[in-house]
Amino acid sequence: MNSLKDTALESNPYMKINFDGGDLSSDAGLLLIKEFAAKVGLVRLIYSLFQTNDTASFRIHIDPENLLQMIYQTIAAYFEDDCADELTVDPVFTAILDKQALASQPTISRFFNRMDESTLKQFDMIEQKMRDIVYAIKPPEHMVFDLDSTLLNTYGRQEGEAFNYHYQSHGYHPLLCFDGITGDLLKAQLRDGTHYCSRDADLFMIPLLQEYREKYPSLPLYLRGDSGFASPDLYKACEDNDCKYAIRLKVNKTLLTLAQDEADELRRVTKDNMVDYAVTYGEFVYQAGSWPHPRRVVFKIEKPAGQMIFLYTFIVTAMESEPYQVIRFYCGRGKMENFIKEGKEGFGFCAVSSSTKVVNANRLQLHTLAYNLFNWFRRLALAAKMRKLRIDTVRLKLLKIATRVVRSARYTTFKLCSSCPYKNEFYETLQNIRQLQPQLE
């Protein structure tokens, strides 16, 4: 039981503490997220499009409210279901959800367990419509699809989890496709832990390629992938949808033989200087046994400084640029590892704790939506000085702001921490949100 009695500190008896501070919260910055979500139409979309197969005739906590609650919790780093019990009467959360109390952990867990294949389609529809709204505000000049997979660790007997040889660990092995320019997570699909990288990658990408080609016919499309995605089916999917690609090939004897002339020339050039770095580029036409026709392959041969060995990079591509430009373009996919790290550590992608695979797939989609909401917020509204910061830093500086709530007959006033060093950034962000002019249906 809480007591209003003051408690003095032994280290300094002139300092006293109690729990009589009033309605306080440490998450006042979520008011900005709420304002942005409402401004760009996400709240309206969720209320109009999201509904689980619920047989109950009446619920105090309805599905759209539960979804929004978990999105806000995820952005504030409360990833697990039972975090809801700690936030039940938090004044900021109850205000942005317009509720007297939040849904509890059992309610949230039952909410997830009602999700199925139909809710996966609803998540996909919400993401598509949000992309249309965001692109109407700031259209892309070109699109770079960065394709990769990762491991989501599991710690029980969840359906579909398995030992993944590449990662030497148990978990799920989802496919992820990011926008290599903005970091938006365009699509995520949960897969069994044993699935190889390129398995069904073409089926994964075709709907996305068709969406962009139909909605933005003149938009240049590019795709990058490592050697795990060297699949003829994926090449064909890109070619059928006018998407240029650069996908790495695993080194084999045939490729080394075709690059032999350039390798010999590099040995001749470096014969008298085996210390400094040296590099050469080239290209050839190549047809693997599983390919229906030849394709262009560009390559790089480099001798690292202080080493005598050569390193080879082979890229199969539909691009027409010079070999060094294709290689440089492919190497740009390295920043996708930062996107994946941001999603897993900053937005709880690994919170796949349900026993059934379809529920965990829906959990991943919810965390994906939270990730994208923040990424759109960062790109379109966040104060200019903060747009290159990671979510953890933005949380610390702008979202985790202490506030005291004062209620009157007509208004609820949030009195934010007077000593907050980021007041200017807070008001700049709020002003940026007000200046947005999204095209809503």
Side-chain angles (χ1 to χ4, degrees), residues 93-106:
F93 275 90
T94 54
I96 62 179
L97 292 167
D98 194 21
K99 301 173 71 173
Q100 294 296 320
L102 271 63
S104 62
Q105 176 270 317

Side-chain angles (χ1 to χ4, degrees), residues 122-151:
Q122 293 170 29
F123 276 118
D124 188 52
M125 181 62 67
I126 292 171
E127 290 276 6
Q128 288 186 34
K129 288 185 175 295
M130 282 304 303
R131 281 198 292 270
D132 293 341
I133 293 171
V134 171
Y135 291 167
I137 298 173
K138 190 174 183 179
E141 296 181 0
H142 54 271
M143 180 57 58
V144 178
F145 299 110
D146 274 338
L147 188 59
D148 207 347
S149 61
T150 189
L151 183 80

Side-chain angles (χ1 to χ4, degrees), residues 8-42:
L9 299 179
E10 292 184 358
S11 59
N12 188 338
Y14 294 100
M15 293 184 181
K16 296 183 179 182
I17 57 176
N18 63 43
F19 282 88
D20 191 26
D23 284 339
L24 303 174
S25 175
S26 61
D27 296 293
L30 284 178
L31 296 166
L32 294 173
I33 302 294
K34 159 70 173 180
E35 187 78 353
F36 177 78
K39 184 74 172 185
V40 297
L42 177 61

